[in-house]
Amino acid sequence: MAPDDGDALLRKVRAQHRSVSFITASELVNIDLEDESHRNEESELNETEILLAGILVNEARLGRNGYFQTSPKELRLYKVYNKPVFRGIVYFCAWLLLCLAFFEDPAVPGMGLPYWATMLLEYFCLFVFILRLFHVWCFAAGVKFWRDKKNVIFLSIIVFTFLDMIMYIIFKEAELPVHAIRWTRVFRPLFLVNISEGRQIRRAFRNIRKTLPEIANVLILLLLMIALFTLLGCKLFGKRNLKDIHGKPYFTNYLDVFFLLYVLTTTANNPDVMMPAYDNNPWSSLFFVIFIIVCMYIFVSIFLAVVYKNYRKHLKVDCRYFF
């Protein structure tokens, strides 16, 4: 056999084995890339199957779990949805919303902007989010769009934000004798959590949510210990007519004392909180020393250890499920 005949035979054998196989929801699909009759008769179906195969491979490679309809139009829309430029625009708008806190009233000194300027930026970001959500609806309306909690939360926050912005503008322009407050600002971090690209942030929030019930008993024990020392402090120092550094009565209001001792667990107000009692009687410092040893060095350490252990446990389970 001549060398040219051998090369031709080898190319023919290779061409016969050029095929793509993947599993759909109901069957195994095998696409022969060199079958001319199959490609000519069902070219549109072949293109759809190849596009679906490419999307599924890309989903597996990136660890995504997107949902979409498998018709040609929806597959192309889903492919456009995952383009990096659009994902970057969504991230930019989410961070821009969070950064508006520096410019809105009450703003950082020297960085304040008129409320209409920040409103325009916020409207732009919400408009981008609405387009992004509508894009999801276009390729996933018949799958599980409304069953996805992040879509419902995302849409609800947008609606409430629009209503809040309208009411704020009415109060500002009408100059009503009320203090207008943008109460939906606290929901802005949820935009970054509930976008489809915020999977890692959602995983962290999910682990925190699972960890909270398991650390509640230790947290309650710490708060009860602070409440006990608060009661002792009020009984020891409340009737001595002492004044703090601001000239206010010292250790007389239970809730104020509880907050002071809560801050003392971080030593942020140490030794200022004990100086009035120390000036009255140096032995009074033993109360605060014992409090720091018991609450900060013992109970706070136990609390942090329990938080770390439970969060690490849920993170390992989540990673095992993911991989």
Side-chain angles (χ1 to χ4, degrees), residues 229 232-233 236-237 251 261 283-291:
F229 274 93
L232 293 175
L236 289 174
F237 311 120
F251 267 65
L261 294 182
W283 288 101
S284 300
S285 60
L286 288 176
F287 171 82
F288 298 94
V289 172
I290 295 173
F291 174 83

Side-chain angles (χ1 to χ4, degrees), residues 15-16 47 70 78 105 107 114 117 122 136 140 157 183-184 201 203 242 259 270-271 299 309 314-315 320:
Q16 290 176 350
E47 292 177 3
T70 55
Y78 184 75
D105 187 33
E122 191 169 3
V136 178
I157 296 173
W183 54 272
T184 55
I201 302 178
R203 181 179 300 171
L242 302 178
F259 180 75
N270 184 58
F299 280 96
K309 177 185 176 183
H314 292 295
L315 184 62
R320 190 182 300 117

Side-chain angles (χ1 to χ4, degrees), residues 113 184 188 206:
L113 292 176
T184 55
R188 287 177 181 173
R206 183 168 58 248

Side-chain angles (χ1 to χ4, degrees), residues 287-318:
F287 171 82
F288 298 94
V289 172
I290 295 173
F291 174 83
I292 291 175
I293 293 174
V294 173
C295 290
M296 189 185 78
Y297 286 105
I298 297 179
F299 280 96
V300 172
S301 299
I302 294 174
F303 176 72
L304 292 177
V306 172
V307 171
Y308 173 76
K309 177 185 176 183
N310 287 280
Y311 185 83
R312 186 167 178 263
K313 179 183 68 175
H314 292 295
L315 184 62
K316 289 174 63 176
V317 173
D318 193 52

Side-chain angles (χ1 to χ4, degrees), residues 236-244 247-252 276-281 284:
L236 289 174
F237 311 120
K239 297 182 180 180
R240 297 187 181 182
N241 296 322
L242 302 178
K243 302 292 183 180
D244 60 10
K248 298 180 180 180
Y250 181 73
F251 267 65
T252 55
Y278 178 81
D279 292 337
N280 180 261
N281 188 350
S284 300

Side-chain angles (χ1 to χ4, degrees), residues 258-284:
F258 183 90
F259 180 75
L260 289 175
L261 294 182
Y262 170 75
V263 176
L264 187 58
T265 56
T266 64
T267 68
N269 57 354
N270 184 58
D272 296 340
V273 67
M274 74 172 181
M275 292 311 297
Y278 178 81
D279 292 337
N280 180 261
N281 188 350
W283 288 101
S284 300

Side-chain angles (χ1 to χ4, degrees), residues 20 43 47 96 116 133 154 193 207 217 234 277 288 302:
V20 176
S43 59
E47 292 177 3
L96 179 60
W116 56 266
L133 207 59
F154 205 77
V193 175
N207 291 334
N217 53 351
C234 290
F288 298 94
I302 294 174

